[in-house]
Amino acid sequence: RNGERLEQAAEFLRGLGGTVSTHAMTIRDPDQVSAMMDKVWSEHGRLDVLVNNAGGQFAQPAIDIKPKGWNAVIYTNLNGTWYMMHAIARRWRDSGVPGNIVNIVATFQRGMPGVAHTCAPRAAVTYLSKTVAVEWAQYRIRVNCVAPGAIASIGFRQYSPEAVKTFATANPMKHVGDVQD
């Protein structure tokens, strides 16, 4: 959503030899998603892989989450992911080219205390992905999910030290991953 931050990332990728275009927008708005897909298709002729890794949440006990906070996370993590998947799948189907969707989700199977509002849409995205993987296979569209678990990134700064300690308990290895993982 932040054009300045996008351009910083784009410059880094260009420095590695990549061709990069940026599109400041919100995935919560299907019209903006569609316009972005039109622009990508126009500029690059196609899109081969969509990686849905946008998301947002804030640490808070479920009992204290207000409707506005719940909806903000649901609209981004579930609806936004769906709008992106739907827009590109229709484009691939209509043009007859294959495509690949990778949805980054969370390891929700044991629950996610402190972030119930992200656990629910990540579980939904997983089962949505399983469903459309079967439906869209006829169009040569592959859909997969990757759940990296808790990764000690700068995002940990938004959680209390007590909450961060609980992240390792959800991992069978009893420790969080690092960014290199």
Side-chain angles (χ1 to χ4, degrees), residues 3-107:
E4 185 177 306
R5 290 176 67 190
L6 283 171
E7 193 51 42
Q8 289 173 353
E11 285 303 314
F12 172 78
L13 294 170
R14 288 181 189 118
L16 298 174
T19 301
V20 180
S21 59
T22 63
H23 312 276
M25 53 158 295
T26 176
I27 64 172
R28 293 182 189 183
D29 181 336
D31 292 333
Q32 287 187 39
V33 168
S34 182
M36 187 266 308
M37 292 295 180
D38 289 344
K39 186 173 180 185
V40 168
W41 212 266
S42 172
E43 289 179 7
H44 301 282
R46 67 189 229 189
L47 179 69
D48 297 316
V49 180
L50 169 66
V51 177
N52 278 313
N53 69 336
Q57 62 272 333
F58 49 90
Q60 189 170 39
I63 203 161
D64 296 328
I65 297 172
K66 304 276 191 268
K68 182 178 179 183
W70 176 267
N71 288 333
V73 174
I74 296 294
Y75 290 165
T76 300
N77 296 2
L78 177 57
N79 296 351
T81 298
W82 167 248
Y83 297 149
M84 295 290 288
M85 292 171 64
H86 190 248
I88 195 58
R90 292 174 60 99
R91 179 78 65 166
W92 285 328
R93 179 201 62 193
D94 295 348
S95 65
V97 300
N100 302 282
I101 298 172
V102 179
N103 293 317
I104 307 301
V105 296
T107 52

Side-chain angles (χ1 to χ4, degrees), residues 94-161:
D94 295 348
S95 65
V97 300
N100 302 282
I101 298 172
V102 179
N103 293 317
I104 307 301
V105 296
T107 52
F108 59 83
Q109 292 80 357
R110 295 182 183 172
M112 297 176 68
V115 287
H117 55 321
T118 201
C119 184
R122 297 305 184 172
V125 167
T126 299
Y127 284 89
L128 169 64
S129 298
K130 290 178 181 203
T131 300
V132 299
V134 174
E135 285 188 25
W136 296 350
Q138 66 182 314
Y139 306 118
R140 299 179 300 146
I141 299 170
R142 289 183 286 190
V143 183
N144 290 285
C145 291
V146 175
I151 303 296
S153 67
I154 60 172
F156 270 33
R157 292 182 197 156
Q158 67 178 318
Y159 300 101
S160 70

